[in-house]
Amino acid sequence: MNLKRISGPLLASTLFLGVAAFTVHAQNGYARATGQPVDDEYTKKIAEYTTEKFFNSPLTDYLPASPNVPTPKAVLGDVAGAPGKLPYAEDVYKYMRMLEKASPRVKVFSIGTTEEGREMIAVAVASETLLAKLEENRARLNKLADPRTINMDDAEADRLVDQTFPIYYITGTIHSPETGAPTALMELAYRLAIDESPYIKSIRDGMVTLITPVVEVDGRNRMVDVYNWHLAHPGQNWPPLIYWGHYVAHDNNRDAMGLSLKLTRNILNVYLNWKPQVLHDLHESVPYLYDNTIGDGPYNAWVDPILTDEWQLIGWKNVSEMTKFGMPGVFAHGTFDTWSPGYLMFVAATHNGISRLYETFGNAGADTLTRTLSPDEYQRTWYKQNPPLPRARWSQRNNNNYEQTALLISLDYFNKNSKLFLKNFYLKSKRSIEKPKNEGPAAYVFPSDDPRAGNQARLLRLLQAQGCEVHRATASFTVTIKKKGVARPASRASASPSPAASPAKAPEPESRTFPAGSYIVRMDQPYSRIADALLDHQYWSPRDPQQSIYDDTGWTFGELGNVQVERVTDIKALSAAMERVSGEVRSPGGVSGTGSIFIVNSNAETNLITLRYQLKQAAFEAAEEAFEVAGRKFNRGSFIIRNASLDQVNRATSELGIPALAVAQAPTVKTHPMKAARIAIVHTWLSTQDEGWWRLAFDQMQVPFDYISTQDVAKDADLNKKYDVIVFGPGNGNVNGVIQGRPMYGNPIPWKKTELTPNLGGFASTDDMRPGLGYTGLMNLQNFVKNGGVFVGADDSASFAVATGFTPGVSIQSSTRLRAIGDVLKTRMVDSASPIAYGYGDTLSVYCFNGPIFNISHVVGGGGRRAGSTQRTTGRGTADDPDVVQGRPPAEMPEQPPSTEVWEAAPIMEEQRRNLVGLIPPNLRPRVILRWGNASELLVSGLLDGGDEIAQHAAVIDSPLERGHVILFSMNPFWRGQTAGSYALVFNTILNFDNLNAGRKLDEK
Ligand SMILES: [Zn+2]
């Protein structure tokens, strides 16, 4: 029997009683307070804005009244979730601070600012007694979080657990179009502070609920602007939310590994400082409530199984209770795989807490709408026994009801089992420390002779920011490691292993000595799991039952950072002489030697370009060959700097951690000047997220650029006057979209700062988002290159350049089998004399998501003949014999084409060459800098299937166009702050923009 059916009419008749002196909702232990008055006005509005009774629960279908504490109405002018009401972050904060002022059970903490300087907050709600004990409780939580402090003593842990109250951290609206959480969390904070119902009182007395109501504050305010514009322009198309945060959109929830965004750092710091047991992130994209943490396989391979059990415990309790309330569309499992640790909630998962996530249903704004679902959303499945309705009126209030009801159930369950979860928190921390002697490894070692000390320090600083301890060897030490070059077992696991199959031979170990000064990330520390998750390799079987993959499959940070990292299982590593690094890891920098000329080695580090722009007035030259000075070796591409003072150079290089050698006389080596290029980064008005990661890296490296749109390009017939390099990041979709923009139907769609929309515009602005690059823009861009400019494109923006005639000699082969799903693949150096390659070694691991498969030709439109491309026909002799025509002497056989590699152009034979109008002059032929690895070595981390399709094809190409260059990437060199190793491919291009032909050997034919 459905209890809700009985209580419904009863509820309606008691709505106006003022005092809810009844216990009909005592079901499941969620009884209301007897004797506490109800805010009738507010309660009435809740019912009015809830579109069906079963879209609410007894937990949220009323609001208790307080004589002195304001309800959300004080700020909103209406109840939480009311139609048409979408508060700015500042309004939400205003309310939280009103609560803080009126109630001793609420405390508001400022937790940092966003990229655009807006405040982020965390609100703690608990009884006054608990809030008074926050600091002493923190001391206990710190001990449970680091069991080394209590000598891993379980009995002591039990005593601490007894005295400790836990913390449950809820974060809202990281995804800006998912708009419901802030009002739900305003009301939730009120309920937790005011409601005297036994279960809420128990939550308040037993634990701290910590709330960040708005995670993406910049994006929230833009979203509210857009919504307000929509309200003010009924019947018109409103601006799509092209920018959420300053840099990225949806990917702000993929930053928990790279920590590039301030919101991630701020939430992580709250996590590390408060030691909550749960981080619960609120989203809205699925009807009506998807408790998605349990999700589907494959699960992340580096988290403790205790955690995955906790997901099940809390998640199923949630589903089960809401099922009893008769609320449709509540489920767990579903399509989310739990492999990547990049989601914000994973801050908890990788730091011994519990990650949780809801997808509720939102209308991307506060309009009440009739929503029609697709069959895959409303059909009943094994994990969705009471699915959502195929069609229903849906309001923001419904959303707020679901969010709050589910959270209250979770808080109640968590509170009732708080000792279990605190003990688990301790156990997970302890097991993280015990990692070396259980599953391993013992440590990750960063050798001190890594040629890229700067990149190394950057990665170690990331680990430090993640809360990891870093040590440094004070003497050299020797450990046993897995022998290099031992491939993974070639045979795939089969369903029925053949009994005759011999077991895979264990790889032979070898010993390796690491020099003093090497960095050691010990795995016997509480946050070993995040280090392990970031530094280890990933393998996703192409035959995994999970074929709809949610996100990236590989991310190995050492590989993508071009940093040497050794995974050491030998426990001896832990007894090496070492000391803990205090403060941030820094690479050594500054000037040594004497003289007025400064030499800086080129080693493909991310921040060499920073030096160029910091010393903008100085004269920089790049050496075109390697050379030696004073017994020190310098790579090709090394900087020779003049016209800068010792003080200037010393200050900049010390700060950047770049060593510079002062000399009196410049080395005798061929050089070319390196001017500080004038750069534009171009965006479309279709999508800006993926280029946002490029912008972010440029800003981090303090590389100045103008940020222009395709519409600006269309208006400027002389781009060379302003720019030397135009960077067009990926993520814009197909050529037609870039050129056409959005369809010109309906009204203009502005994106600009106005009184109504104060948070739009600013760094990118237009009166109408619809027009694209257009054919004029395309001509302007092409003329820019022809007149000597450099164009950089990657993935689809590289395909754009190929498709629109920027790259005679490059074509793209369509892929039929390739599945490189956000993984790490190996490339090999082809032309190390190219300035783009300066400082790199023979191989480089890069990020690939089904990159374009480039083919190279010496003829416009393709052409040429590969050796062996024609097979012999039927005839006399063996397979490699010539056929013989009977009755005449054997004919002279023409010369066969020389054999060429996949990444090379096929030779043009004499016969093809005659009157060949499309034959590209040698100096204008595409120059391949890097190519993809061979099929057998291509996969470094993640999922790769059909890799032979892209194996050995060109990966980075410098394709001349008249006087300029088009640089094409079939990888994404700037991705989520995870690919620092490939940044220098683009930065080298910029540094050497007007000498990209350096070191080029021309084909004579
Ligand atoms: Zn979301």
Side-chain angles (χ1 to χ4, degrees), residues 673-729:
M674 295 165 84
K675 288 191 276 179
R678 302 162 305 158
I679 305 162
I681 294 185
V682 179
H683 70 90
T684 63
W685 286 102
L686 299 170
S687 165
T688 62
Q689 163 162 288
D690 292 0
E691 62 85 12
W693 289 118
W694 289 56
R695 252 186 309 134
L696 183 144
F698 277 59
D699 279 348
Q700 281 180 340
M701 295 308 142
Q702 301 162 45
V703 179
F705 61 90
D706 280 0
Y707 189 48
I708 63 175
S709 79
T710 46
Q711 295 176 357
D712 300 320
V713 172
K715 282 181 221 140
D716 194 339
D718 189 4
L719 291 160
N720 303 77
K721 212 165 127 188
K722 288 190 195 142
Y723 306 116
D724 303 307
V725 179
I726 290 181
V727 174
F728 192 26

Coordinates of all heavy atoms in Angstrom, one line a residue, residues 673-729:
P673 N 66.9 34.7 -34.8 CA 66.3 35.5 -33.7 C 65.0 35.0 -33.3 O 64.3 34.3 -34.1 CB 66.1 36.9 -34.4 CG 66.2 36.6 -35.9 CD 67.0 35.4 -36.1
M674 N 64.6 35.2 -32.0 CA 63.3 34.8 -31.5 C 62.6 36.0 -31.0 O 62.9 36.5 -29.9 CB 63.5 33.8 -30.3 CG 64.1 32.5 -30.6 SD 64.7 31.7 -29.1 CE 63.2 30.9 -28.6
K675 N 61.8 36.5 -31.8 CA 61.0 37.7 -31.4 C 59.8 37.3 -30.5 O 59.4 36.1 -30.6 CB 60.5 38.4 -32.7 CG 61.6 39.2 -33.4 CD 61.1 40.1 -34.5 CE 60.8 39.3 -35.8 NZ 60.2 40.2 -36.8
A676 N 59.4 38.2 -29.7 CA 58.2 37.9 -28.9 C 57.0 38.0 -29.8 O 56.6 39.1 -30.2 CB 58.1 38.8 -27.7
A677 N 56.4 36.9 -30.2 CA 55.3 36.9 -31.1 C 54.1 37.5 -30.5 O 53.8 37.5 -29.4 CB 55.0 35.4 -31.5
R678 N 53.3 38.2 -31.4 CA 52.0 38.7 -31.1 C 51.0 37.6 -31.4 O 50.9 37.2 -32.5 CB 51.7 40.0 -31.9 CG 52.8 41.1 -31.6 CD 52.8 42.1 -32.8 NE 52.9 41.5 -34.1 CZ 52.5 42.0 -35.2 NH1 51.9 43.2 -35.2 NH2 52.6 41.4 -36.4
I679 N 50.2 37.3 -30.4 CA 49.4 36.1 -30.5 C 47.9 36.4 -30.4 O 47.5 37.3 -29.6 CB 49.7 35.1 -29.3 CG1 51.2 34.8 -29.4 CG2 48.9 33.8 -29.4 CD1 51.7 34.2 -28.1
A680 N 47.1 35.7 -31.2 CA 45.6 35.8 -31.0 C 45.2 34.3 -30.7 O 45.6 33.4 -31.4 CB 44.9 36.4 -32.2
I681 N 44.3 34.2 -29.8 CA 43.6 32.9 -29.6 C 42.2 33.2 -30.1 O 41.5 34.1 -29.7 CB 43.6 32.4 -28.2 CG1 45.0 32.0 -27.7 CG2 42.7 31.2 -28.0 CD1 45.1 31.4 -26.4
V682 N 41.7 32.4 -31.1 CA 40.4 32.6 -31.7 C 39.4 31.6 -31.1 O 39.7 30.5 -30.9 CB 40.5 32.3 -33.2 CG1 39.1 32.5 -33.9 CG2 41.5 33.2 -33.9
H683 N 38.2 32.2 -30.8 CA 37.1 31.3 -30.4 C 35.9 31.5 -31.3 O 35.8 32.5 -32.0 CB 36.7 31.6 -29.0 CG 36.1 32.9 -28.8 ND1 34.7 33.1 -28.8 CD2 36.6 34.2 -28.5 CE1 34.4 34.4 -28.6 NE2 35.5 35.0 -28.5
T684 N 35.1 30.5 -31.3 CA 33.8 30.6 -32.1 C 32.8 31.1 -31.0 O 33.0 31.2 -29.8 CB 33.4 29.3 -32.6 OG1 33.1 28.4 -31.5 CG2 34.4 28.7 -33.5
W685 N 31.6 31.3 -31.5 CA 30.4 31.5 -30.6 C 29.6 30.3 -30.5 O 28.4 30.3 -30.1 CB 29.6 32.7 -31.0 CG 30.3 34.0 -30.7 CD1 31.0 34.8 -31.6 CD2 30.5 34.7 -29.4 NE1 31.6 35.9 -30.9 CE2 31.2 35.8 -29.6 CE3 30.0 34.3 -28.2 CZ2 31.6 36.7 -28.6 CZ3 30.3 35.2 -27.1 CH2 31.1 36.3 -27.3
L686 N 30.2 29.1 -30.8 CA 29.5 27.9 -30.7 C 29.8 27.1 -29.5 O 29.0 26.5 -28.8 CB 29.8 27.0 -32.0 CG 29.5 27.6 -33.3 CD1 30.1 26.7 -34.4 CD2 28.0 27.6 -33.5
S687 N 31.1 27.1 -29.2 CA 31.6 26.3 -28.0 C 33.0 26.9 -27.7 O 33.8 27.1 -28.6 CB 31.7 24.8 -28.4 OG 32.5 24.2 -27.5
T688 N 33.2 27.0 -26.4 CA 34.5 27.6 -26.0 C 35.3 26.8 -25.0 O 36.3 27.1 -24.6 CB 34.3 29.0 -25.4 OG1 33.5 28.8 -24.2 CG2 33.6 29.9 -26.3
Q689 N 34.7 25.6 -24.6 CA 35.3 24.9 -23.5 C 36.7 24.4 -23.8 O 37.6 24.6 -23.0 CB 34.4 23.7 -23.1 CG 35.2 22.7 -22.3 CD 34.3 21.8 -21.5 OE1 33.7 22.2 -20.6 NE2 34.3 20.6 -22.0
D690 N 36.8 23.7 -25.0 CA 38.1 23.0 -25.2 C 39.2 24.0 -25.4 O 40.4 23.8 -25.0 CB 38.0 22.0 -26.3 CG 37.1 20.8 -25.9 OD1 36.6 20.8 -24.8 OD2 36.9 19.9 -26.8
E691 N 38.9 25.1 -26.1 CA 39.9 26.1 -26.3 C 40.2 26.8 -24.9 O 41.3 27.4 -24.7 CB 39.6 27.2 -27.4 CG 38.3 28.0 -27.1 CD 38.5 29.2 -26.3 OE1 39.6 29.6 -26.0 OE2 37.4 29.8 -25.8
G692 N 39.3 26.7 -24.0 CA 39.5 27.3 -22.7 C 40.7 26.7 -22.0 O 41.4 27.4 -21.2
W693 N 40.9 25.4 -22.2 CA 42.1 24.8 -21.6 C 43.3 25.3 -22.2 O 44.4 25.4 -21.5 CB 42.0 23.2 -21.7 CG 41.0 22.5 -20.9 CD1 39.9 21.8 -21.4 CD2 40.9 22.5 -19.5 NE1 39.2 21.3 -20.3 CE2 39.8 21.7 -19.1 CE3 41.7 23.0 -18.4 CZ2 39.4 21.5 -17.8 CZ3 41.3 22.8 -17.1 CH2 40.2 22.0 -16.8
W694 N 43.3 25.7 -23.4 CA 44.5 26.4 -24.1 C 44.7 27.7 -23.4 O 45.8 28.1 -23.0 CB 44.2 26.5 -25.6 CG 44.3 25.3 -26.4 CD1 43.5 24.2 -26.1 CD2 45.1 25.0 -27.5 NE1 43.8 23.2 -27.1 CE2 44.7 23.7 -27.9 CE3 46.1 25.7 -28.2 CZ2 45.4 23.0 -29.0 CZ3 46.7 25.0 -29.3 CH2 46.3 23.7 -29.7
R695 N 43.6 28.5 -23.3 CA 43.7 29.9 -22.7 C 44.3 29.8 -21.3 O 45.1 30.6 -20.9 CB 42.3 30.4 -22.7 CG 42.1 31.5 -23.6 CD 40.7 32.2 -23.4 NE 39.6 31.3 -23.3 CZ 38.7 31.3 -22.4 NH1 38.7 32.3 -21.4 NH2 37.7 30.5 -22.4
L696 N 43.8 28.8 -20.6 CA 44.2 28.6 -19.2 C 45.7 28.4 -19.1 O 46.4 29.0 -18.3 CB 43.5 27.5 -18.6 CG 43.7 27.2 -17.1 CD1 42.5 26.8 -16.4 CD2 44.8 26.2 -16.9
A697 N 46.2 27.5 -20.0 CA 47.7 27.2 -20.0 C 48.5 28.5 -20.4 O 49.5 28.8 -19.8 CB 48.0 26.1 -20.9
F698 N 48.0 29.2 -21.4 CA 48.7 30.4 -21.8 C 48.7 31.4 -20.7 O 49.7 32.0 -20.4 CB 48.0 31.1 -23.0 CG 48.4 30.5 -24.4 CD1 48.2 29.1 -24.6 CD2 48.9 31.3 -25.4 CE1 48.6 28.6 -25.8 CE2 49.3 30.7 -26.6 CZ 49.1 29.4 -26.8
D699 N 47.6 31.5 -20.0 CA 47.6 32.5 -18.8 C 48.5 32.0 -17.7 O 49.2 32.8 -17.1 CB 46.2 32.6 -18.3 CG 45.3 33.6 -19.1 OD1 45.9 34.3 -19.9 OD2 44.1 33.6 -18.9
Q700 N 48.5 30.7 -17.4 CA 49.4 30.2 -16.4 C 50.9 30.4 -16.7 O 51.7 30.7 -15.9 CB 49.2 28.6 -16.3 CG 48.0 28.2 -15.5 CD 47.8 26.7 -15.4 OE1 48.4 26.0 -16.2 NE2 47.1 26.3 -14.4
M701 N 51.2 30.3 -18.0 CA 52.6 30.6 -18.4 C 52.8 32.1 -18.8 O 53.9 32.4 -19.3 CB 52.9 29.7 -19.7 CG 52.9 28.2 -19.4 SD 53.9 27.8 -17.9 CE 52.9 26.5 -17.2
Q702 N 51.8 32.9 -18.5 CA 51.9 34.3 -18.7 C 52.3 34.7 -20.1 O 53.2 35.5 -20.4 CB 52.9 34.9 -17.7 CG 52.5 34.7 -16.2 CD 53.7 34.9 -15.3 OE1 54.5 35.8 -15.4 NE2 53.9 34.0 -14.3
V703 N 51.7 33.9 -21.1 CA 51.9 34.2 -22.5 C 50.8 35.2 -22.9 O 49.7 34.8 -22.9 CB 51.9 32.9 -23.3 CG1 52.1 33.3 -24.8 CG2 52.9 31.9 -22.8
P704 N 51.2 36.4 -23.3 CA 50.1 37.4 -23.6 C 49.4 37.0 -24.9 O 50.1 36.6 -25.8 CB 50.8 38.7 -23.6 CG 52.3 38.3 -23.9 CD 52.5 37.0 -23.4
F705 N 48.1 37.2 -25.0 CA 47.4 37.0 -26.2 C 46.2 37.9 -26.3 O 45.7 38.3 -25.2 CB 47.0 35.5 -26.4 CG 46.1 35.0 -25.3 CD1 44.7 35.1 -25.5 CD2 46.6 34.5 -24.2 CE1 43.9 34.6 -24.5 CE2 45.8 34.0 -23.1 CZ 44.4 34.1 -23.3
D706 N 45.7 38.2 -27.5 CA 44.4 38.8 -27.7 C 43.4 37.6 -27.8 O 43.7 36.7 -28.5 CB 44.4 39.6 -28.9 CG 45.0 41.0 -28.7 OD1 45.5 41.2 -27.6 OD2 45.1 41.8 -29.7
Y707 N 42.3 37.8 -27.2 CA 41.2 36.8 -27.3 C 40.2 37.3 -28.3 O 39.5 38.3 -28.0 CB 40.6 36.6 -26.0 CG 39.7 35.4 -25.9 CD1 40.1 34.1 -26.4 CD2 38.5 35.5 -25.2 CE1 39.2 33.1 -26.3 CE2 37.6 34.4 -25.1 CZ 38.0 33.2 -25.7 OH 37.1 32.1 -25.6
I708 N 40.1 36.7 -29.5 CA 39.3 37.3 -30.5 C 38.3 36.2 -31.0 O 38.6 35.0 -30.8 CB 40.1 37.8 -31.7 CG1 40.9 36.7 -32.4 CG2 41.0 39.0 -31.3 CD1 41.6 37.2 -33.7
S709 N 37.2 36.6 -31.6 CA 36.3 35.6 -32.1 C 36.3 35.5 -33.6 O 37.0 36.3 -34.3 CB 34.8 36.0 -31.7 OG 34.3 37.0 -32.6
T710 N 35.7 34.4 -34.1 CA 35.7 34.3 -35.6 C 35.0 35.5 -36.2 O 35.4 35.9 -37.4 CB 34.9 33.0 -35.9 OG1 33.7 33.0 -35.2 CG2 35.7 31.7 -35.6
Q711 N 34.1 36.2 -35.5 CA 33.5 37.4 -36.0 C 34.5 38.5 -36.2 O 34.5 39.3 -37.1 CB 32.3 37.8 -35.1 CG 31.2 36.8 -35.1 CD 30.1 37.2 -34.1 OE1 30.2 38.3 -33.4 NE2 29.0 36.5 -34.1
D712 N 35.5 38.6 -35.2 CA 36.5 39.6 -35.3 C 37.4 39.3 -36.5 O 37.9 40.2 -37.2 CB 37.4 39.6 -34.1 CG 36.6 39.9 -32.8 OD1 35.7 40.8 -32.9 OD2 36.8 39.3 -31.8
V713 N 37.7 38.0 -36.7 CA 38.5 37.6 -37.9 C 37.9 38.0 -39.2 O 38.5 38.5 -40.1 CB 38.8 36.1 -37.9 CG1 39.5 35.6 -39.2 CG2 39.6 35.7 -36.6
A714 N 36.5 37.9 -39.2 CA 35.8 38.2 -40.4 C 35.9 39.7 -40.7 O 35.8 40.1 -41.9 CB 34.3 37.8 -40.3
K715 N 36.1 40.5 -39.7 CA 36.1 42.0 -39.9 C 37.4 42.5 -40.2 O 37.6 43.7 -40.5 CB 35.5 42.6 -38.6 CG 34.0 42.6 -38.5 CD 33.6 43.3 -37.2 CE 32.5 42.5 -36.4 NZ 32.7 42.5 -35.0
D716 N 38.5 41.7 -40.1 CA 39.8 42.2 -40.2 C 40.6 41.6 -41.4 O 41.0 40.5 -41.4 CB 40.6 41.9 -38.9 CG 41.9 42.6 -38.8 OD1 42.4 43.1 -39.8 OD2 42.4 42.7 -37.6
A717 N 40.7 42.5 -42.4 CA 41.4 42.0 -43.7 C 42.9 42.0 -43.6 O 43.6 41.6 -44.5 CB 40.9 42.8 -44.9
D718 N 43.4 42.6 -42.5 CA 44.9 42.6 -42.4 C 45.3 42.1 -41.0 O 45.8 42.9 -40.1 CB 45.4 44.0 -42.6 CG 46.9 44.0 -42.7 OD1 47.6 43.0 -42.6 OD2 47.5 45.1 -42.8
L719 N 45.1 40.9 -40.8 CA 45.4 40.3 -39.4 C 46.9 40.3 -39.2 O 47.3 40.4 -38.0 CB 44.9 38.8 -39.4 CG 43.4 38.7 -39.4 CD1 42.9 37.3 -39.8 CD2 42.8 39.0 -38.0
N720 N 47.7 40.3 -40.2 CA 49.2 40.3 -40.0 C 49.6 41.6 -39.3 O 50.7 41.6 -38.7 CB 49.9 40.2 -41.4 CG 49.5 38.9 -42.1 OD1 48.4 38.9 -42.7 ND2 50.3 37.9 -42.0
K721 N 48.9 42.7 -39.5 CA 49.2 43.9 -38.9 C 49.2 43.8 -37.3 O 50.0 44.4 -36.6 CB 48.2 45.0 -39.3 CG 48.8 46.4 -39.4 CD 47.9 47.3 -40.2 CE 47.6 48.5 -39.4 NZ 46.5 49.3 -40.0
K722 N 48.4 42.9 -36.8 CA 48.3 42.8 -35.4 C 48.9 41.5 -34.8 O 49.3 41.5 -33.7 CB 46.8 42.7 -35.0 CG 46.0 44.0 -35.1 CD 44.6 43.8 -34.5 CE 43.7 45.0 -34.9 NZ 42.3 44.5 -35.1
Y723 N 49.0 40.5 -35.7 CA 49.4 39.2 -35.1 C 50.4 38.4 -35.9 O 50.4 38.6 -37.1 CB 48.1 38.2 -35.0 CG 47.0 38.9 -34.2 CD1 45.8 39.2 -34.8 CD2 47.2 39.3 -32.8 CE1 44.8 39.8 -34.1 CE2 46.2 39.9 -32.1 CZ 45.0 40.2 -32.8 OH 44.0 40.8 -32.0
D724 N 51.2 37.7 -35.2 CA 52.2 36.8 -35.8 C 51.7 35.3 -35.8 O 52.0 34.6 -36.7 CB 53.5 36.8 -35.1 CG 54.1 38.3 -35.1 OD1 54.2 38.9 -36.1 OD2 54.4 38.7 -33.9
V725 N 51.0 35.0 -34.7 CA 50.5 33.6 -34.6 C 49.0 33.7 -34.2 O 48.6 34.4 -33.3 CB 51.3 32.9 -33.5 CG1 50.7 31.5 -33.3 CG2 52.8 32.9 -33.7
I726 N 48.2 32.9 -34.9 CA 46.8 32.7 -34.6 C 46.6 31.3 -34.2 O 46.8 30.4 -34.9 CB 45.9 33.2 -35.7 CG1 46.0 34.7 -35.9 CG2 44.4 32.7 -35.5 CD1 45.1 35.2 -37.0
V727 N 46.1 31.1 -32.9 CA 45.9 29.8 -32.4 C 44.4 29.6 -32.4 O 43.6 30.4 -31.9 CB 46.4 29.8 -30.9 CG1 46.1 28.4 -30.3 CG2 47.9 30.0 -30.9
F728 N 44.0 28.5 -33.0 CA 42.6 28.1 -33.1 C 42.4 26.8 -32.3 O 42.8 25.7 -32.9 CB 42.1 28.0 -34.5 CG 40.6 27.9 -34.7 CD1 39.7 28.4 -33.8 CD2 40.1 27.3 -35.9 CE1 38.4 28.3 -34.0 CE2 38.7 27.2 -36.1 CZ 37.9 27.7 -35.1
G729 N 42.0 26.8 -31.1 CA 41.9 25.6 -30.3 C 40.8 24.7 -30.8 O 40.0 25.1 -31.6

